[in-house]
């Protein structure tokens, strides 16, 4: 395919400068993002919990919760986590800090039942390694907040707009020679040519993946503005309504049985299995139970699961990322966007695929910046020291 030389020069400039400006931020995002595909494994490796191993089929969660409430009612009323899929210490709650933020002194109580039925509680400082990797993935290390979100999220959103321009311009640059040089790795023509061929091969081969990531990151970063714009089509009404607090307050001692709550969640979302419940504000008029719902055959909303928000006392489902009725079409569309970014399809093969593609994405930005530095270095040598350049080994690269 023929493209005019002036057009190629224009797009080459666009490709170079968008890549250089956004390259370092995207390198951090992609490298850390590939590791987040195994976030839970990293957390388990970094901070193993010393407790007897249990399974959901033979463990008495109800007795565990009842015993913990009897002994630590005030602390658990603020909120606690019940893991229905963990090998050990299924109940935990924060005694210092909370789930949000990157504080290094967070402390949790982990609880399990001894053989004699007594409650064993151990204090552990929360290891932030896995969360740090995830934080770098989402923010590229930029600290501070803008509104209710980290500033780095918006910076990555802007970087991905430039990233999209770099992808489009890179494809246009390669169109005239794409068929002949797609699989060419011409090492014999020098170091720079080999890196350029590798850069082009990785970029074109993984183009659909990169387009998906660029689009989804922009949606994640600027979702408030997108929702605000869409709200104009609904007479200015917010797209998401907050639940109205109940007229009366609830108390943790009246919390329904765990199996009743799990059954209500399963009835709402057939085919899904609750694997984790996060409770909060149990002694208030607006208690909440967030169920993480697993389904290996579904395109889920979160990194691993869908989410179901329930009033744990009335068993009323307040909201869910598993949409029903008229909201199913739009909800499934949003879930698909999340799933395409998180790689929550294809099981372990999908996770490994996204892990490898993430590393190749980091290589793409690394090689692009390396080529730019090499080219600039050559120009400096040629212009500043012509005689030295003629005798330099780089002259033959």
């Amino acid at each position: 395919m023929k493209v005019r030389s002036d057009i190629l020069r224009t797009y080459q400039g666009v490709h170079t400068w968008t890549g250089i400006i956004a390259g370092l931020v995207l390198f951090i995002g992609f490298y850390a993002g590939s590791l987040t595909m195994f976030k839970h494994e990293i957390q388990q490796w970094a901070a193993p919990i010393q407790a007897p191993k249990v399974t959901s089929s033979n463990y008495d969660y109800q007795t565990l919760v009842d015993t913990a409430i009897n002994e630590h009612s005030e602390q658990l009323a603020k909120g606690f986590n019940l893991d229905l899929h963990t090998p050990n210490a299924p109940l935990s709650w924060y005694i210092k800090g909370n789930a949000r933020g990157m504080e290094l002194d967070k402390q949790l109580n982990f609880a399990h039942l001894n053989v004699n039925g007594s409650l064993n509680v151990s204090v552990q400082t929360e290891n932030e390694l896995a969360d740090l990797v995830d934080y770098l993935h989402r923010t590229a290390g930029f600290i501070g907040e803008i509104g209710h979100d980290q500033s780095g999220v918006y910076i990555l959103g802007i970087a991905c707009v430039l990233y999209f321009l770099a992808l489009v311009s890179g494809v246009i640059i390669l169109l005239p020679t794409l068929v002949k040089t797609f699989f060419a790795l011409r090492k014999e023509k020098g170091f720079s040519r080999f890196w350029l061929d590798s850069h082009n091969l990785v970029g074109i081969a993984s183009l659909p993946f990169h387009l998906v990531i660029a689009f989804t990151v922009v949606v994640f970063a600027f979702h408030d503005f997108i929702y605000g714009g869409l709200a104009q089509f609904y007479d200015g009404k917010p797209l998401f309504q907050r639940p109205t607090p109940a007229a009366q307050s609830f108390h943790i001692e009246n919390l329904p049985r765990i199996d009743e709550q799990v059954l209500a969640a399963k009835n709402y979302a057939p085919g899904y299995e609750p694997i984790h419940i996060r409770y909060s504000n149990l002694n208030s008029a607006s208690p909440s139970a967030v169920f993480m719902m697993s389904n290996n055959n579904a395109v889920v909303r979160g990194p691993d699961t869908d989410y179901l928000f329930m009033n744990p006392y009335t068993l009323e489902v307040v909201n869910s990322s598993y949409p029903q009725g008229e909201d199913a079409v739009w909800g499934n569309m949003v879930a698909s966007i999340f799933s395409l970014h998180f790689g929550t399809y294809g099981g372990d093969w999908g996770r490994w695929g996204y892990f490898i593609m993430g590393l190749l994405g980091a290589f793409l930005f690394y090689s692009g910046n390396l080529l730019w530095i090499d080219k600039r270095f050559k120009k400096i040598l040629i212009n500043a020291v012509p005689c030295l350049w003629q005798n330099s080994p780089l002259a033959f690269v």
Side-chain angles (χ1 to χ4, degrees):
M1 180 178 179
K2 293 184 178 180
V3 181
R4 283 170 29 198
S5 58
D6 59 326
I7 295 177
L8 286 177
R9 284 194 299 270
T10 299
Y11 278 103
Q12 188 171 22
V14 172
H15 182 78
T16 298
W17 289 110
T18 52
I20 291 301
I21 294 171
L24 180 58
V25 172
L26 294 173
F27 174 84
I28 297 172
F30 268 79
Y31 189 79
S34 65
L35 296 178
T36 59
M37 298 306 301
F38 299 97
K39 180 179 177 179
H40 296 303
E41 288 78 4
I42 293 174
Q43 184 64 26
Q44 292 171 6
W45 169 78
I49 301 172
Q50 301 300 324
K53 291 188 176 181
V54 300
T55 61
S56 57
S57 60
N58 63 10
Y59 196 77
D60 189 355
Y61 290 100
Q62 188 61 52
T63 302
L64 171 64
V65 172
D66 291 341
T67 306
I69 290 176
N70 289 334
E71 298 184 15
H72 304 276
S73 174
E74 185 177 346
Q75 292 181 343
L76 266 65
K78 298 176 182 177
F80 67 93
N81 301 305
L82 184 63
D83 211 325
L84 306 176
H85 197 65
T86 189
N88 46 16
L91 193 148
S92 64
W93 65 93
Y94 283 92
I95 57 177
K96 187 175 183 180
N98 53 59
R100 290 181 59 85
M102 283 293 299
E103 301 168 2
L104 299 180
D105 59 347
K106 294 181 185 178
Q107 289 186 335
L108 294 95
N109 274 343
F110 289 92
H112 67 273
L113 292 175
N114 294 321
V115 177
N116 59 5
S118 62
L119 188 69
N120 184 297
V121 179
S122 59
V123 180
Q124 182 172 326
T125 301
E126 187 175 41
N127 189 288
E128 296 285 353
L129 177 60
D131 287 334
L132 175 61
V133 173
D134 188 37
Y135 181 83
L136 290 173
H137 166 59
R138 291 182 291 107
T139 68
F142 290 94
I143 61 175
E145 293 190 358
I146 300 176
H148 65 276
D149 219 335
Q150 290 97 350
S151 60
V153 172
Y154 295 103
I155 293 174
L156 271 175
I158 296 171
C160 278
V161 174
L162 300 176
Y163 167 38
F164 177 79
L165 294 175
L167 290 172
V168 174
S169 57
V171 172
I172 293 174
I173 293 170
L174 289 176
L175 283 178
T177 59
L178 182 60
V179 176
K180 294 182 180 179
T181 63
F182 181 44
F183 290 106
L185 294 174
R186 292 162 287 186
K187 191 174 182 180
E188 69 281 357
K189 291 192 176 183
F191 172 81
S192 295
R193 173 56 65 180
F194 176 76
W195 276 93
L196 179 60
D197 288 341
S198 301
H199 178 84
N200 294 339
L201 175 61
V202 171
I204 294 297
S206 57
L207 182 63
F209 172 79
H210 288 281
L211 290 174
V212 165
I213 297 300
F215 171 72
T216 53
V217 171
V218 171
V219 172
F220 294 160
F222 303 111
H223 64 277
D224 284 344
F225 303 100
I226 295 173
Y227 292 153
L230 291 174
Q232 302 304 316
F233 295 96
Y234 293 86
D235 297 326
K237 297 179 180 179
L239 295 181
F240 305 100
Q241 296 285 352
R242 292 184 178 273
T244 304
Q248 79 281 11
S249 293
F250 299 93
H251 197 276
I252 191 172
E253 292 181 354
N254 300 320
L255 189 68
R257 290 181 57 83
I258 301 300
D259 55 1
E260 293 178 9
Q261 300 177 50
V262 169
L263 181 60
K266 287 184 176 180
N267 288 338
Y268 181 85
Y272 284 75
E273 184 68 26
I275 63 172
H276 187 95
I277 311 174
R278 185 172 64 246
Y279 296 94
S280 60
N281 303 320
L282 293 176
N283 284 355
S284 72
S286 55
S288 174
V290 182
F291 286 75
M292 297 184 182
M293 309 289 286
S294 177
N295 187 342
N296 293 330
N297 298 319
V299 176
V300 297
R301 175 77 171 264
D304 302 291
T305 62
D306 266 309
Y307 300 97
L308 188 150
F309 301 84
M310 179 189 295
N311 183 318
Y313 295 98
T314 65
L315 304 183
E316 177 189 0
V317 175
V318 178
N319 200 354
S320 172
S321 62
Y322 179 82
Q324 307 226 352
E326 296 179 355
D327 296 331
V329 174
W330 294 107
N332 288 332
M333 184 181 299
V334 173
S336 299
I337 293 175
F338 278 81
S339 184
L340 284 170
H341 184 87
F342 292 136
T344 52
Y345 57 91
D348 288 338
W349 285 104
R351 285 208 298 169
W352 278 105
Y354 267 61
F355 172 76
I356 294 171
M357 295 298 287
L359 292 180
L360 290 176
F363 167 80
L364 190 67
F365 306 117
Y366 172 79
S367 58
N369 280 267
L370 187 68
L371 288 166
W372 181 80
I373 292 172
D374 181 64
K375 186 175 181 180
R376 299 290 293 181
F377 184 65
K378 288 179 180 179
K379 286 184 177 180
I380 292 173
L381 285 179
I382 292 173
N383 295 331
V385 196
C387 296
L388 180 60
W389 168 254
Q390 292 177 359
N391 298 320
S392 170
L394 289 175
F396 303 100
V397 175

